[in-house]
Amino acid sequence: MATITAPAHAGIGPRVKALREAMGLSLRDLAERTGVSAPMLSQVERGDTSPTLTVAGRIASGLELSLSQLLRLDEGEGVTVVRKSERRSGGSGEHAYEIITPPLPGQRAEVSAHTLQAGASTGGPGDPPMHEAGSRETAVVTHGAVTLSVAGHEYRLGEGDSVTFDADLPHHFENPEPRGEARFMSVVSAGLRRS
């Protein structure tokens, strides 16, 4: 059976451990999800052994990734630059946003920049959550002020203030000012909190 050799396996152990811990899984939990024994997983994480392609595929599946995502085969050199002109944008004149992170497979976080015109909001009280179960969001106000509504509670945030909350709850940001725009940066981490 073929085993993963350098450079393909370089860093796979620490990557498996970091992904497992980010998902809140113990070695035993991952063993149950993959059918790979906990001692074998421990050896892989420490770098004591290189997994076979079959074992690596089972580990990837248990971490909800493809084998190429686990091995980062589809990420080139491991560095992706997104030029300002290449940002993906959306929204409207009232609420415009740009996604700053690249659309890489298996990426667990997304960074975006938002601009809200006076009185505008990112959504409304009756809107369903836009993020998957277990997502967390951190936002920092970079200009002006915003009001964050999360599950019926409001939080006023001024320039430089930040907030972290469960993004799978109903929420929206609003610029309460009668004049001037507000801007904030947001980082959404997918599925890190397990229910």
Side-chain angles (χ1 to χ4, degrees), residues 9 23 48 50-51 53 86 108 129-130 139 169-171 183:
H9 86 286
M23 293 176 73
D48 294 343
S50 295
L53 289 174
E86 299 169 338
R108 306 293 294 170
M130 293 181 59
L169 297 173
H171 68 276
R183 293 190 297 270

Side-chain angles (χ1 to χ4, degrees), residues 90-97 113-123 143-147 156 172-184:
S92 64
E94 295 293 305
H95 168 224
Y97 65 87
H114 299 256
T115 302
L116 288 171
Q117 298 304 317
S121 68
T122 60
H143 179 79
V146 299
T147 299
R156 173 79 176 199
H172 66 276
F173 292 88
E174 180 179 347
N175 177 356
E177 301 300 322
R179 284 175 291 197
E181 66 182 25
R183 293 190 297 270
F184 66 95

